Amino acid sequence: MSDAGNERGNALYGPQPDVAGASGYPDAPPRVGFFTDTSVCIGCKACEVACKEWNAIPEDGLELTGMSYDNTRGLGADTWRHVAFVEQRKPLGGQEAGVAHTAVPEGAHVSADDADDAVDVFAAASRLGTDASREGPAAVQAPAGRISPVSPEGRTELRWLMSSDVCKHCTHAACLDVCPTGALFRTEFGTVVVQEDVCNGCGYCVPACPYGVIDQREDDGRAWKCTLCYDRLGAGLEPACAKSCPTESIQFGPLEELRERARARVAQLHAAGVTDARLYGESPDDGVGGAGAFFLLLDEPEVYGLPPDPVVTTRDLPGMWRHAAVAAAALTALAVGSFARRPR
């Protein structure tokens, strides 16, 4: 693509260090956002509840999906915070998941019947979570391929990946770019907010979002999404979800400060053996110019239902309009030429 975006002050793509200033706030405070550290998320859903209570969001169904402990499935007009539950058969870094086991001596053969005879499973269950669970015959581990008496189906390495997803408040927000009524606007804090009383329900913003965040309510057709608690920010308060998070998985503050904190956290996890830890959405050089809400993940983004390489969908608009203009000019020239050659 050409330098059209750069000539316009990176209006459509690329890094934009002063998002609020570019939106008409010359004396804006530092840009704020969310850093979600999924490595300490416990899936309590306190953020979902706090978000709904503060913003008076309608309930969106209380039925489990049947695939996980998840009754919201994804972000939408009535779900501005969504906690994903992902079950994996692998340990977290160098940690040993589940009940501690005493390894079977190398070369020794233990049949499934022998393992069952050697262990009182009811006694083992009563000792789980106590020091006694790490001692005695209940600590016998079934050999490879066998069913462990204290770990169903032999799954001794199991972990849950949990992550509270939210609107990314992109540096270059396609939803804002395509809105014809000005219902979406950039705040002085660098966040993106929908004015529901201005929204006409056209729905252009829905396919424009590269993350599939924004959505329309079925009853009135208007678009809704996370506002990063704009009303609370104006009063000097932190967003309700971050305030309610008991493990500080959701951290709120100046975006640059959060990025430094996130990089330090990744280094800490790598040193502890969690080599899969990586940041998602923090880089100003990514396809949306850096997200205002970014994440520390313990696996690939696709595992959490996030696009691996999101790109603002309006990035190529200048080029598209140029091609359209060239095509229109060619058609006009063709039409003029055909009329000029007609016999008189």
Side-chain angles (χ1 to χ4, degrees), residues 44-117:
C44 67
K45 289 181 176 280
C47 54
E48 285 191 15
V49 175
C51 178
K52 280 187 174 292
E53 287 186 345
W54 181 263
N55 295 289
I57 304 173
E59 65 91 10
D60 50 358
L62 301 175
E63 298 180 359
L64 294 175
T65 63
M67 296 180 291
S68 73
Y69 297 105
D70 181 6
N71 65 320
T72 48
R73 295 180 292 277
L75 296 174
D78 296 330
T79 305
W80 299 359
R81 269 281 179 187
H82 167 243
V83 178
F85 288 73
V86 181
E87 183 179 349
Q88 291 188 325
R89 296 188 181 185
K90 63 187 295 187
L92 175 59
Q95 301 179 25
E96 183 179 354
V99 179
H101 300 295
T102 299
V104 176
E106 186 175 355
H109 175 74
V110 180
S111 68
D113 292 335
D114 290 339
D116 288 339
D117 293 338

Side-chain angles (χ1 to χ4, degrees), residues 191-204:
T191 59
V192 179
V193 175
V194 183
Q195 301 173 94
E196 64 272 13
D197 57 336
V198 181
C199 177
N200 67 356
C202 69
Y204 293 166

Side-chain angles (χ1 to χ4, degrees), residues 203-287:
Y204 293 166
C205 56
V206 176
C209 176
Y211 298 97
V213 168
I214 196 166
D215 196 12
Q216 297 170 273
R217 284 186 182 162
E218 295 181 359
D219 57 349
D220 64 8
R222 292 179 296 172
W224 303 79
K225 73 172 191 67
C226 163
T227 66
L228 217 149
C229 285
Y230 182 42
D231 52 346
R232 292 177 63 90
L233 298 187
L237 303 173
E238 64 179 323
C241 56
K243 183 71 174 178
S244 67
C245 183
T247 63
E248 295 187 354
S249 171
I250 302 173
Q251 301 178 35
F252 166 78
L255 196 56
E256 288 303 319
E257 179 182 316
L258 291 177
R259 286 170 176 166
E260 293 180 8
R261 191 183 306 170
R263 287 189 285 267
R265 174 61 176 161
V266 169
Q268 180 185 22
L269 288 173
H270 285 177
V274 188
T275 57
D276 288 338
R278 83 283 307 272
L279 296 180
Y280 176 84
E282 94 294 350
S283 174
D285 297 318
D286 66 13

